[in-house]
Amino acid sequence: MIAIIGATGTIGNELLRRLMELSVPVRALTREPDKLRQQMGDLGLSKVEICAADANDPESMRRALEGASQLFLALSNSPRQVELETSIIQIAAQEGIEHIVKISSPAYEKSSPVAVAGWHAEIEQALVASGLIYTVLRPYAFMQNLLRLAPTITTQDVFFGCIGDSPCNFIDCRDIADVAAVALTNQKPACGIYTLTGSETFTYPQIADKLSTLLNRPIRFINLKPEALRSDLIVHGHMPPWLAEHVVEIQTMSTAVPEKPTNTVQSLLGREPRTLDAFLQENRNSFQARR
Ligand SMILES: NC(=O)c1ccc[n+]([C@@H]2O[C@H](COP(=O)([O-])OP(=O)(O)OC[C@H]3O[C@@H](n4cnc5c(N)ncnc54)[C@H](OP(=O)(O)O)[C@@H]3O)[C@@H](O)[C@H]2O)c1
């Protein structure tokens, strides 16, 4: 039995769909079962066990993991992420889980300004110390994040950042889910740490060019100072300050350390990663002008 923590999440929901296609026994964990049912719509969940579980309530987690042998773990970011994921790993070890596939983030260096990467490094250490078999997936930025730029693209034909023209890795979450599915169905990889990217990097000005061509109207990337981006994300993007800080930290990191693609997705899945062009084309409607 494969348990999914984060079954309503960006990666976890795609993984649930893959595992349903493969007809393997799967248990979807969520704090809100009705949200999951709604999300799955016509696809239904008749072949899936749904379990209400909240990482803030260790007993609910313990009940939800009982009898499962494998665990997928992708928890949304929060200032309590280290505490919650570490507690889940401990419960998983006690409940007889054999293998955990954890979603982490790109490798953490002590000099890194990205606090969330430091959280993931701590959780990874707890996972290694647990003695369980682990597969750590370290994806770079999700292509799906670009959908969050839609509000200003659709209304003002612009999007903001503080990343300048640094090359960035992007990966489609569906590729991350495909790699997780392979790991959880005991194909490969069995154990280890894998950095996941698409096959090429793009700068934000290049993304603006791609959007301009796709939408047939000029879209501009506006590079702000980090402080200006932080306050824009809080004031106009309604982000909590810690999350705005996270976005600024990631973009600052990308300007300091130019990103390079890996060929991990290709080597694990035997096919090229999904492309940014295909993702933008598929989501063209989300960026159409609305005014
Ligand atoms: N976005 C990026 O570009 C990026 C890049 C690299 C790494 N990451 C990492 O990816 C991870 C997030 O993955 P994602 O985007 O697929 O996740 P997500 O969409 O943020 O959702 C994750 C899930 O966490 C569950 N969750 C939150 N709090 C919970 C709690 N207290 N108890 C039980 N479940 C809880 C939610 O389930 P319910 O609401 O249904 O309970 C949700 O389905 C983060 O750790 C992040 O650092 C993200």
Side-chain angles (χ1 to χ4, degrees), residues 14-22 174 177-178 181 274:
E14 291 296 340
L15 173 65
L16 176 60
R17 290 160 197 260
R18 295 300 166 286
L19 296 178
M20 286 167 68
E21 279 162 20
L22 294 170
R174 292 169 292 188
D178 287 345
R274 291 170 171 85

Side-chain angles (χ1 to χ4, degrees), residues 22-280:
L22 294 170
S23 298
V24 291
V26 56
R27 185 180 295 161
L29 276 59
T30 171
R31 290 165 299 176
E32 294 178 75
D34 284 345
K35 179 170 86 177
L36 178 61
R37 287 191 190 94
Q38 214 169 14
Q39 208 173 0
M40 299 304 285
D42 293 342
L43 209 55
L45 283 164
S46 57
K47 293 194 185 127
V48 174
E49 281 184 27
I50 306 178
C51 241
D54 185 339
N56 291 296
D57 172 3
E59 283 316 306
S60 72
M61 219 16 105
R62 196 175 294 286
R63 282 193 297 277
L65 295 185
E66 210 178 287
S69 55
Q70 310 225 61
L71 173 62
F72 173 80
L73 174 56
L75 214 63
S76 44
N77 291 137
S78 81
R80 294 189 56 225
Q81 189 163 359
V82 174
E83 185 189 339
L84 296 180
E85 288 202 35
T86 306
S87 154
I88 290 170
I89 292 165
Q90 280 170 359
I91 294 170
Q94 290 159 1
E95 288 305 315
I97 295 281
E98 293 157 13
H99 175 203
I100 296 187
V101 176
K102 169 181 159 50
I103 298 300
S104 186
S105 66
Y108 178 69
E109 306 293 337
K110 283 227 159 62
S111 58
S112 168
V114 186
V116 171
W119 302 348
H120 278 302
E122 262 189 75
I123 301 164
E124 286 185 15
Q125 281 170 11
L127 183 53
V128 173
S130 72
L132 299 172
I133 299 171
Y134 60 85
T135 308
V136 170
L137 303 181
R138 291 178 172 172
Y140 272 80
F142 304 169
M143 290 179 191
Q144 282 73 5
N145 295 351
L146 295 171
L147 297 172
R148 296 188 201 142
L149 303 174
T152 55
I153 293 175
T154 53
T155 56
Q156 300 162 50
D157 296 340
V158 295
F159 61 98
F160 303 100
C162 64
I163 198 165
D165 58 1
S166 302
C168 294
N169 282 316
F170 289 93
I171 178 159
D172 191 313
C173 277
R174 292 169 292 188
D175 285 337
I176 309 172
D178 287 345
V179 170
V182 164
L184 287 161
T185 51
N186 281 334
Q187 299 168 45
K188 55 181 182 180
C191 189
I193 297 178
Y194 301 86
T195 300
L196 306 179
T197 70
S199 53
E200 48 184 332
T201 55
F202 297 96
T203 66
Y204 275 42
Q206 284 172 331
I207 293 172
D209 289 346
K210 282 182 181 296
L211 285 168
S212 303
T213 306
L214 180 71
L215 301 168
N216 206 19
R217 66 184 208 274
I219 305 294
R220 282 183 309 132
F221 164 61
I222 299 183
N223 196 47
L224 301 174
K225 292 220 159 61
E227 314 81 75
L229 178 64
R230 184 184 299 110
S231 71
D232 180 70
L233 292 171
I234 295 170
V235 175
H236 298 115
H238 308 293
M239 274 188 190
W242 68 265
L243 188 54
E245 191 61 40
H246 177 49
V247 174
V248 169
E249 287 171 354
I250 287 183
Q251 298 201 12
T252 305
M253 177 78 177
S254 306
T255 56
V257 185
E259 297 179 2
K260 292 190 199 120
T262 67
N263 66 356
T264 319
V265 170
Q266 157 78 48
S267 68
L268 293 175
L269 299 180
R271 61 157 175 82
E272 285 293 321
R274 291 170 171 85
T275 65
L276 184 62
D277 281 338
F279 176 81
L280 293 176

